[in-house]
């Protein structure tokens, strides 16, 4: 039995948490096929897929099992077409800021928001201690399924839709900018994301990192927002990775939030050490060439095969990381993100 949620809030802009609905059991046909009718704020189920690997995404998800996921739609007041932001949560799943703080900030700036819950509809609460529960490729498939759906809404300008990913969601956000992935997703009328925002992103080291070369990434602008106290996804490799992407031809901005830990946008301001959190070590040398799917040493450029690859993998895995909400850091991140999107998504 699949979960379908189709709820409309009474006012043009309702408080985010008041706009949530209870999950109701329904048949597959109750999922939303498109937004052509112009639905208002609410919680909607829609079809996606669960591809297992990055190469599956190159083939348009033909190997991905069907999935139904949920998106929370928040429209700003007024009439006329507006830009929009699709938000992708991290390993911990949905949390309050994605249903309250960020939608309020973006709606106030005139942006619509579509915040995706990719885990709960798949029966998963968190992948923090076991990332294998949901394939990373599925995150990307969900983002493109949401892009197609949101672009059909009469109030949304389909050429001004950005994607914003947090931590694990940042890995998906990077991959939505890969030209080979974009081509594989076969969006109607050449639809693609107009901008990419990465908040304390993962994917800066290890097998999640893509080898940078001209033409690998799209020319859509990128903003990276990262705390310099982050021990879950350390800032150093991310800043270096962003610089490489920028030198290869993608407009890149990198905003450092001083003193901020991982998940600084959380309402929970306690500093918590997650003992079982799976992470990749900062000194992991691996990166993947998307043209050949071969592994390379990002420092020396040498190709890694056989025993050399296995030895490199051994140095990469670690557990344990810190999270801490920080309202000042969150406000700084919101100001930087809104300013970036106003520049990049202007008509």
């Amino acid at each position: 039995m699949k979960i379908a949620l189709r709820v409309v809030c009474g006012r043009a802009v309702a408080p985010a948490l008041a706009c949530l609905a209870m999950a109701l059991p329904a048949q597959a046909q109750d999922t939303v096929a498109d937004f052509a009718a112009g639905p208002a704020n609410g919680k909607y189920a829609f079809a996606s897929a669960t591809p297992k690997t990055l190469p599956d995404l190159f083939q348009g998800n033909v190997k991905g099992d069907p999935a139904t996921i949920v998106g929370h739609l928040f429209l700003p007041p007024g009439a006329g077409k507006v830009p929009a932001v699709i938000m992708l949560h991290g390993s911990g799943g949905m949390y309050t800021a994605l249903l309250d703080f960020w939608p309020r900030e973006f709606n106030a700036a005139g942006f619509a928001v579509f915040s995706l819950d990719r885990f709960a509809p798949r029966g998963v609460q968190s992948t923090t201690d076991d990332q294998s529960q949901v394939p990373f490729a599925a995150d990307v498939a969900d983002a493109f399924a949401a892009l197609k759906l949101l672009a059909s809404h009469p109030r949304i300008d389909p050429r001004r839709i950005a994607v914003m990913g947090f931590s694990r969601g940042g890995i998906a956000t990077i991959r939505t900018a890969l030209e080979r992935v974009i081509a594989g997703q076969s969006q109607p009328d050449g639809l693609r994301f107009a901008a990419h925002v990465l908040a304390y992103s993962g994917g800066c080291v290890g097998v999640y990192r893509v080898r940078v070369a001209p033409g690998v990434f799209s020319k859509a602008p990128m903003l990276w927002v990262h705390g310099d106290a982050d021990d879950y996804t350390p800032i150093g490799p991310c800043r270096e990775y962003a610089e490489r992407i920028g030198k290869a031809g993608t407009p890149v901005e990198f905003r450092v939030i001083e003193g901020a830990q991982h998940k600084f946008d959380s309402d929970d301001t306690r500093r918590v050490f997650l003992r079982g959190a799976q992470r990749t070590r900062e000194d992991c040398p691996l990166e993947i060439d998307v043209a050949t799917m071969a592994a390379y040493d990002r420092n020396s450029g040498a190709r890694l095969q056989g025993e050399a690859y296995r030895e490199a993998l051994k140095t990469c895995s670690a557990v344990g990381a810190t999270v801490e909400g920080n309202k000042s850091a969150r406000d700084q991140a919101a100001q930087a993100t809104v300013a970036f999107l106003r520049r990049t998504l202007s008509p």
Side-chain angles (χ1 to χ4, degrees):
M1 181 175 291
K2 294 188 177 182
I3 297 296
L5 302 132
R6 191 178 302 173
V7 167
V8 174
C9 297
R11 293 186 295 156
V13 177
L17 296 180
C19 198
L20 304 185
M22 295 296 291
L24 299 175
Q27 301 302 317
Q29 64 264 26
D30 288 331
T31 58
V32 178
D34 61 57
F35 278 163
N41 293 350
K43 188 176 181 181
Y44 301 92
F46 61 99
S48 185
T50 307
K52 303 297 191 297
T53 67
L54 184 58
D56 286 347
L57 293 169
F58 304 156
Q59 301 174 43
N61 304 332
V62 293
K63 296 183 179 179
D65 296 330
T68 299
I69 64 167
V70 170
H72 302 259
L73 179 64
F74 303 88
L75 294 166
K81 287 189 177 293
V82 296
V85 183
I86 292 173
M87 296 199 300
L88 310 176
H89 62 69
S91 301
M94 291 295 282
Y95 57 103
T96 305
L98 299 185
L99 300 172
D100 187 9
F101 174 78
W102 288 106
R104 282 192 286 107
E105 293 292 315
F106 287 137
N107 279 181
F111 305 131
V113 171
F114 200 35
S115 190
L116 307 188
D117 184 349
R118 310 185 313 282
F119 286 177
R122 290 185 168 98
V124 174
Q125 181 178 358
S126 168
T127 62
T128 300
D129 295 350
D130 181 6
Q131 297 292 354
S132 69
Q133 293 180 87
V134 179
F136 284 88
D139 300 348
V140 182
D142 294 346
F144 279 103
L147 173 63
K148 183 178 179 180
L149 177 65
L150 193 59
S152 69
H153 198 293
R155 281 208 61 201
I156 305 298
D157 184 340
R159 301 299 172 186
R160 293 193 290 156
I161 300 177
V163 58
M164 182 175 186
F166 302 79
S167 192
R168 171 176 165 144
I171 299 175
T173 299
I174 295 172
R175 291 181 169 183
T176 62
L178 292 173
E179 287 290 356
R180 195 171 178 193
V181 169
I182 295 168
Q185 294 305 293
S186 301
Q187 292 286 299
D189 301 321
L191 184 66
R192 59 172 61 203
F193 287 107
H196 303 78
V197 181
L198 303 94
Y200 46 88
S201 177
C204 301
V205 288
V207 294
Y208 311 115
R209 174 168 167 146
V210 172
R211 199 177 194 200
V212 179
V216 168
F217 289 91
S218 81
K219 297 297 179 66
M222 279 188 185
L223 171 67
W224 298 60
V225 183
H226 217 103
D228 63 4
D230 195 322
D231 65 2
Y232 203 155
T233 57
I235 192 172
C238 288
R239 183 154 39 192
E240 182 264 342
Y241 191 24
E243 289 175 356
R244 286 197 186 188
I245 294 172
K247 290 178 180 177
T250 298
V252 171
E253 298 179 33
F254 199 100
R255 174 64 186 270
V256 179
I257 309 295
E258 293 185 4
Q261 298 273 357
H262 200 77
K263 206 173 182 179
F264 56 71
D265 59 324
S266 173
D267 286 339
D268 188 347
T269 57
R270 296 173 298 170
R271 182 172 295 184
V272 179
F273 185 73
L274 306 175
R275 296 186 181 278
Q278 292 181 345
R279 62 180 176 86
T280 305
R281 289 172 54 92
E282 184 174 0
D283 58 354
C284 177
L286 294 174
E287 62 182 10
I288 304 300
D289 185 335
V290 293
T292 62
M293 296 307 296
Y296 288 83
D297 185 315
R298 66 184 170 96
N299 300 311
S300 68
R303 183 171 178 176
L304 299 173
Q305 305 178 75
E307 187 61 27
Y309 175 72
R310 289 188 288 273
E311 286 299 316
L313 271 180
K314 291 178 183 178
T315 70
C316 293
S317 297
V319 293
T322 306
V323 295
E324 179 186 42
N326 181 323
K327 293 183 179 179
S328 174
R330 180 169 76 175
D331 288 342
Q332 293 176 57
Q335 291 170 9
T337 303
V338 167
F340 168 79
L341 292 177
R342 277 178 169 155
R343 293 193 303 273
T344 57
L345 301 183
S346 59

